Amino acid sequence: MNRTVALWLAVGVIGFCALPWYVLDEGLWSFEWLTGGYPFDTDYAPALFLLLQGEKLWLAPLPVFLLLPLLAVGINSSQKPNQQPAHIGVRQKPGFSYILILAGALGLAYLLVQAFSIGIRGWNAEFLTQVFGELGDRQFGFGYGAMFVSVALLFFLTTGVAARGAVNGDVFIVGAIGFVIALVGMFILFPVLNMLSSAIQDTEGNYSLGVFFSKFFDDKIWGLHCLTENRSCGVAWNSLVLALCVGALTTLLGLVFALVATRSGLRQAHFLRPLTVLPIITPPFVIGLAIILLFGLSGAVTTFVAELIGVNPTRWIYGLPGILIAQLLSFTPIAFLVLIGVVEGVAPSIEEASQTLRASRWQTFRTVSLPLMRPGIANAFLLGFIESMADFGNPLVLGGNYDVLSTEIFFAIVGAQNDQGQAAVLAIVLLIFTLSAFYAQRRWLGKKSYTTQTGKGDSGIPTMLPKRVLWPSYLLVSIWSIFTIVVYGMIVYGGFVEIWGLDHTITLKHYKKAFGVAMTDNGFHFRGAAWDSFWTTLRIAATAAPLTAAVGLVTAYLLVRQNFAGKEAFEFGTMLSFAIPGTVIGVAYIMAFNVPPIELTGTGVILVLSFIFRNMPVGIRAGVASMSQLDKSLDEASLTLGANTWRTFREVILPLMKPAIVAALVFSFVRAMTAISAVIFLVSAEHNMATGYIIGRVENNDYGIAIAYSTVLIIVMLLVVVLTQLLVGKSKVIRRVAQ
């Protein structure tokens, strides 16, 4: 533990003495400060040099908290060397742990109090001015230095807690728990609570429960007029019905595709994988436009059917049917990506044991295979339900008079009413539904064991599907695959026509205008209008994807493999961002990170962070579903042989979780590439994303460029998906293959 303390002490000292304390105007990734008057220029100065110049005197107490752990190291040095294996925690001397906890807790508390008390205009609260008088100084948002010091103080605290014997004294586990809690608190709870606090504020900013209840029980939210009158029901009931249908149907479709891909014996089954991934790598409103072109009032299918049977075309696609179809296309791949790893993880030897006891294939599938897939089924339903609740792109395009919570939140924020309080109330209603689904999922899974992979070898052959399951699965997969191909055919076709839906003259002008390249004396020149947003999107998505997967899988490991106080609250916090619509997340981030102590508005960092914590729950759920099938004896064997927890996680658990890793990487990357809701509020002139550019083209009725851009994104993301699967590989579980 002395080495751990020394490491974080070095990090804290570097942050305080060598790195700019406050945020840089040039951006987080700029290093111009090294040649711009550093370290004495107050814009770039570390905290130490600010204090030496008599500036920002409120930073003076921080060195005390940073250097206090030296005393702990001195106290601990007299203790006899630890003779136990590295993974087994030994309770340190009480003084050692108390000093670390004191230094970390008080240091973080002081840092946060001074950061939120003093802003760009001095004191942030009037009562502070009355108590202490005018400050006569100001401070900006945290920079590199404050970031390093905060991390050091946090890990002083977690190391001290581990030294007290928490979670068997495992420094890595306690540190990981503390780090994830800090991230969730800073980038999920803080902005969301900041946003939701407006639900109990009136127009003058005063807090009032009466205002909240009047908005919460509004008839527009909970009305049931659709049962007695020819009127629409409240947006809460509309959203609930839609989400239940989407959750159930996407889980069914995802499971069927996963079973056919792995247990049908169909040689062409590997072609189903890219087909199921296609919808997830497409901006949702593009799927909506393709559906309108097929089934709208003047759509190809609608017109053909109307002429065939002699009826007038209708607008039946607008409303619940259209939204449902679009969301099934968009979210079925999520269920497939979660379920494919779970289906592959069911040990064939268990199914063979059932058949040895003379059970039929149908009995084996119904009583053995399907129950072992419960974690994946439950997680797939939960994700489909939450995605449907949070989606606003498809309802915006196809909703018609069928209002849902997400679109109402969007219009409450950006519409003429500009009522953040109403948006916050609607977000609370949505959160109640999603958390109820989360609770129901936990109750359905219960405390049963779904372990199928142990440390023993498994050379069994995966059991083929019974015919009563196989043939309906073939039929459903065929119909859905053909429908998906037709929808994507319309999308691709739309990029090559003059005016989509009117003039179908074949042309390449949309691709030339968006992605034109010219050869000059200086080499290639990217002169197309879409290149800037394309490169920005690619860079931000490539940055966010591995970070999202890493945080998600580590969190899943903590949830499945570790027991600690507050575990359920910890899991709730990690799922919170997924339960809130992207529109609310975007506005919450703008409100929370537009002023000190964390100023990120207008930067690429805020986009990366929003993608990480918006998409992190998919990595968590995929990891939880996959890890539920890994026997804990694998961990115990590694620990018994002297490996620490970090090495066990890295070399034993992760190789067996490659389907979950692929799911987390693929989903986080493509969602960053195609995100709409939060991006609308967070993009800037310098960091414009692809979807922001496409939406601008759609608003100008320039559908050709919008579709052409979307087609290019689809191709790029398909290449990334294939490359990710090749780099990560498959789970190293050796089994025989059926001949």
Side-chain angles (χ1 to χ4, degrees):
M1 284 196 176
N2 281 355
R3 289 197 300 269
T4 302
V5 173
L7 169 64
W8 296 117
L9 179 61
V11 170
V13 170
I14 291 172
F16 191 83
C17 301
L19 296 176
W21 185 260
Y22 292 115
V23 68
L24 306 173
D25 291 336
E26 296 83 0
L28 186 65
W29 307 119
S30 171
F31 294 94
E32 295 180 12
W33 51 275
L34 290 171
T35 58
Y38 170 84
F40 297 101
D41 189 327
T42 54
D43 290 336
Y44 308 126
L48 176 63
F49 287 86
L50 288 171
L51 292 175
L52 292 176
Q53 298 176 71
E55 299 282 344
K56 320 302 181 192
L57 297 180
W58 52 79
L59 301 178
L62 288 176
V64 176
F65 302 115
L66 279 177
L67 299 178
L68 196 58
L70 287 175
L71 180 59
V73 172
I75 292 175
N76 202 43
S77 297
S78 60
Q79 182 167 306
K80 294 182 180 180
N82 186 358
Q83 300 298 323
Q84 300 192 50
H87 67 281
I88 300 177
V90 175
R91 183 167 295 191
Q92 310 293 313
K93 287 187 175 181
F96 174 82
S97 57
Y98 290 146
I99 291 174
L100 287 179
I101 293 173
L102 188 68
L106 293 183
L108 283 173
Y110 178 79
L111 187 63
L112 292 174
V113 168
Q114 70 86 24
F116 283 99
S117 298
I118 304 171
I120 56 177
R121 294 183 177 86
W123 296 115
N124 282 331
E126 182 63 29
F127 79 91
L128 292 174
T129 304
Q130 296 175 356
V131 173
F132 298 104
E134 292 292 338
L135 184 61
D137 201 354
R138 63 180 184 176
Q139 70 173 347
F140 298 98
F142 283 168
Y144 289 114
M147 189 190 312
F148 273 51
V149 169
S150 301
V151 170
L153 292 172
L154 172 65
F155 285 110
F156 286 158
L157 175 61
T158 60
T159 304
V161 172
R164 296 298 303 157
V167 197
N168 297 321
D170 195 311
V171 176
F172 168 71
I173 295 299
V174 178
I177 293 171
F179 186 63
V180 174
I181 289 175
L183 291 178
V184 168
M186 183 179 301
F187 296 112
I188 297 179
L189 294 180
F190 169 60
V192 169
L193 292 177
N194 187 54
M195 171 69 184
L196 296 183
S197 64
S198 58
I200 55 175
Q201 288 181 311
D202 58 23
T203 55
E204 298 179 355
N206 300 317
Y207 291 95
S208 171
L209 286 177
V211 171
F212 169 76
F213 286 119
S214 65
K215 291 181 178 179
F216 184 85
F217 293 106
D218 189 356
D219 192 57
K220 190 174 182 179
I221 299 177
W222 301 103
L224 290 171
H225 304 292
C226 58
L227 300 179
T228 57
E229 307 173 30
N230 189 21
R231 294 170 56 187
S232 176
C233 277
V235 292
W237 302 119
N238 288 347
S239 299
L240 181 61
V241 170
L242 176 64
L244 288 172
C245 293
V246 171
L249 292 176
T250 54
T251 303
L252 174 63
L253 286 168
L255 180 61
V256 168
F257 270 89
L259 291 172
V260 171
T262 58
R263 291 169 176 261
S264 66
L266 186 66
R267 293 184 178 181
Q268 293 78 20
H270 60 278
F271 290 113
L272 296 178
R273 293 178 183 255
L275 193 63
T276 54
V277 172
L278 266 176
I280 205 173
I281 61 179
T282 307
F285 55 84
V286 176
I287 291 180
L289 290 174
I291 290 175
I292 290 173
L293 192 61
L294 284 170
F295 303 108
L297 190 62
S298 302
V301 175
T302 302
T303 304
F304 174 77
V305 173
E307 293 177 353
L308 183 66
I309 62 177
V311 298
N312 293 324
T314 64
R315 299 171 58 88
W316 68 274
I317 197 65
Y318 297 98
L320 177 61
I323 304 173
L324 180 60
I325 294 171
Q327 289 189 347
L328 288 179
L329 278 167
S330 300
F331 306 141
T332 294
I334 301 175
F336 174 77
L337 288 171
V338 170
L339 286 164
I340 187 68
V342 176
V343 172
E344 289 177 339
V346 175
S349 58
I350 299 178
E351 297 170 322
E352 288 180 351
S354 173
Q355 292 183 320
T356 301
L357 295 173
R358 298 185 179 181
S360 66
R361 283 188 179 182
W362 166 245
Q363 289 175 315
T364 299
F365 176 78
R366 182 173 54 86
T367 61
V368 177
S369 306
L370 206 56
L372 289 173
M373 298 174 192
R374 263 193 169 193
I377 293 172
N379 283 301
F381 177 85
L382 180 64
L383 290 174
F385 184 92
I386 292 175
E387 278 282 16
S388 175
M389 278 282 182
D391 176 43
F392 101 99
N394 291 311
L396 194 65
V397 174
L398 294 164
N401 294 325
Y402 195 85
D403 298 323
V404 294
L405 286 167
S406 56
T407 53
E408 287 299 301
I409 292 169
F410 175 73
F411 289 121
I413 295 171
V414 304
Q417 54 184 315
N418 191 22
D419 189 348
Q420 292 184 2
Q422 180 66 20
V425 170
L426 292 168
I428 291 174
V429 175
L430 191 151
L431 187 60
I432 291 173
F433 283 144
T434 52
L435 293 181
S436 298
F438 179 74
Y439 175 76
Q441 180 236 28
R442 293 291 300 274
R443 287 295 302 269
W444 187 61
L445 288 179
K447 297 183 178 180
K448 297 179 181 178
S449 173
Y450 301 95
T451 299
T452 63
Q453 293 183 28
T454 66
K456 299 179 181 180
D458 188 348
S459 60
I461 301 174
T463 302
M464 295 296 101
L465 292 174
K467 289 185 178 181
R468 66 174 68 183
V469 176
L470 183 63
W471 294 113
S473 297
Y474 276 153
L475 179 62
L476 187 58
V477 164
S478 300
I479 294 173
W480 193 252
S481 299
I482 292 171
F483 178 60
T484 302
I485 291 171
V486 170
V487 169
Y488 275 85
M490 298 301 292
I491 293 174
V492 174
Y493 176 67
F496 290 98
V497 298
E498 189 73 25
I499 301 176
W500 196 22
L502 295 176
D503 183 357
H504 293 170
T505 304
I506 301 299
T507 180
L508 291 175
K509 74 172 188 178
H510 304 307
Y511 287 93
K512 291 179 180 178
K513 188 174 181 180
F515 295 100
V517 178
M519 177 65 74
T520 65
D521 295 338
N522 298 322
F524 283 104
H525 173 61
F526 297 98
R527 65 180 184 182
W531 280 116
D532 286 342
S533 62
F534 176 78
W535 294 125
T536 299
T537 303
L538 201 61
R539 183 175 66 252
I540 289 176
T543 302
L547 295 175
T548 305
V551 175
L553 293 175
V554 168
T555 305
Y557 177 74
L558 297 176
L559 291 173
V560 175
R561 283 297 198 261
Q562 306 299 326
N563 291 312
F564 50 91
K567 182 177 176 179
E568 292 186 358
F570 177 82
E571 187 172 8
F572 160 73
T574 59
M575 290 297 294
L576 185 61
S577 68
F578 210 62
I580 300 292
T583 48
V584 177
I585 292 293
V587 174
Y589 268 45
I590 288 292
M591 295 175 62
F593 303 135
N594 195 40
V595 294
I598 306 176
E599 291 184 85
L600 298 174
T601 302
T603 67
V605 175
I606 195 171
L607 290 166
V608 172
L609 290 172
S610 68
F611 292 144
I612 290 173
F613 295 100
R614 182 83 174 95
N615 300 325
M616 179 181 70
V618 172
I620 295 175
R621 302 325 304 178
V624 167
S626 181
M627 210 175 300
S628 297
Q629 297 179 316
L630 302 181
D631 198 314
K632 287 188 177 181
S633 63
L634 296 170
D635 306 47
E636 294 166 357
S638 175
L639 296 173
T640 302
L641 293 172
N644 57 28
T645 310
W646 164 240
R647 187 175 181 183
T648 299
F649 175 70
R650 186 179 73 247
E651 298 183 8
V652 177
I653 301 300
L654 284 182
L656 293 171
M657 292 180 60
K658 288 189 175 180
I661 296 173
V662 171
L665 285 173
V666 167
F667 183 83
S668 57
F669 180 83
V670 299
R671 285 304 296 269
M673 292 286 286
T674 61
I676 302 174
S677 49
V679 166
I680 292 176
F681 301 97
L682 301 179
V683 294
S684 61
E686 185 179 355
H687 298 92
N688 190 22
M689 298 286 287
T691 48
Y693 182 88
I694 294 173
I695 288 176
R697 296 299 90 204
V698 172
E699 289 176 347
N700 292 328
N701 295 323
D702 199 349
Y703 297 117
I705 290 182
I707 302 258
Y709 200 158
S710 300
T711 304
V712 171
L713 287 182
I714 291 170
I715 294 172
V716 169
M717 286 183 283
L718 273 177
L719 293 175
V720 170
V721 169
V722 173
L723 183 62
T724 301
Q725 290 180 333
L726 290 176
L727 291 177
V728 177
K730 296 183 178 181
S731 181
K732 296 179 181 179
V733 181
I734 306 302
R735 291 173 179 160
R736 287 183 287 137
V737 179
Q739 300 297 323

